[in-house]
Amino acid sequence: MSKSGTCYYSVLEICEQASPSEIREAYRRQALKWHPDRWMKNPNVSGEAKKRFQQIQEAYSVLSDKGKRKIYDAGLLGLLTDDDDEGFLNFMQEMVLMMQNVESKEGNSLEDLQGSLMDMMAEDERRIFGFEWDSSQNAKKRARFC
């Protein structure tokens, strides 16, 4: 899912197995259809057209980039920000490849591995911000923060 909660594949109206040329074709088709200049005379639709056009551009920028697409397909795109450098993007791509290799060898699902990664990141954040396990509680229970 995108930052706005929509599926990039559905925004471009393509399947997840679409080739780069199919992605480019779908982008052009949708961009022409929803370009804001085309809808300027109709103020009722112009706001929607501008929003859709931005979603189309966002979807294309991710799906047309091999690395970003792999990260998106793994469900990890939300971990990236606009300020992330090339090194972090390369790291995330490598993580996705490792997760795919482990999945094929051990039979773990990509979702299980993604959950493990999220748990590790949450644990690191607790340590960074000074939240530790409550030793008086059962070791399996996690501290809750509101």
Side-chain angles (χ1 to χ4, degrees), residues 45-107:
V45 183
S46 66
E48 177 68 19
K50 183 178 179 180
K51 180 182 158 199
R52 288 257 187 119
F53 188 72
Q54 288 172 340
Q55 287 177 333
I56 292 164
Q57 288 181 310
E58 183 180 332
Y60 182 71
S61 73
V62 171
L63 297 180
S64 64
D65 181 298
K66 278 177 142 179
K68 287 182 182 178
R69 184 176 179 182
K70 283 183 184 181
I71 292 169
Y72 175 76
D73 289 342
L76 300 173
L77 189 67
L79 300 176
L80 297 177
T81 64
D82 294 335
D83 297 332
D84 288 333
D85 62 0
E86 188 77 22
F88 185 69
L89 183 61
N90 291 340
F91 167 75
M92 291 300 291
Q93 291 171 359
E94 194 168 322
M95 286 295 295
V96 168
L97 286 174
M98 286 175 31
M99 291 167 61
Q100 289 171 342
N101 289 337
V102 169
E103 176 182 332
S104 62
K105 290 178 185 174
E106 297 179 8

Side-chain angles (χ1 to χ4, degrees), residues 76 114 125:
L76 300 173
Q114 180 183 3
E125 285 181 9

Side-chain angles (χ1 to χ4, degrees), residues 4 6 10 19 23 37 42 44 47 53 66 72 74 94 102 105 120-121 124 139-140:
S4 61
T6 57
S10 63
S19 69
I23 292 170
D37 290 346
N42 188 345
N44 296 334
F53 188 72
K66 278 177 142 179
Y72 175 76
E94 194 168 322
V102 169
K105 290 178 185 174
M120 288 188 297
M121 291 175 64
D124 286 345
K140 291 185 180 181

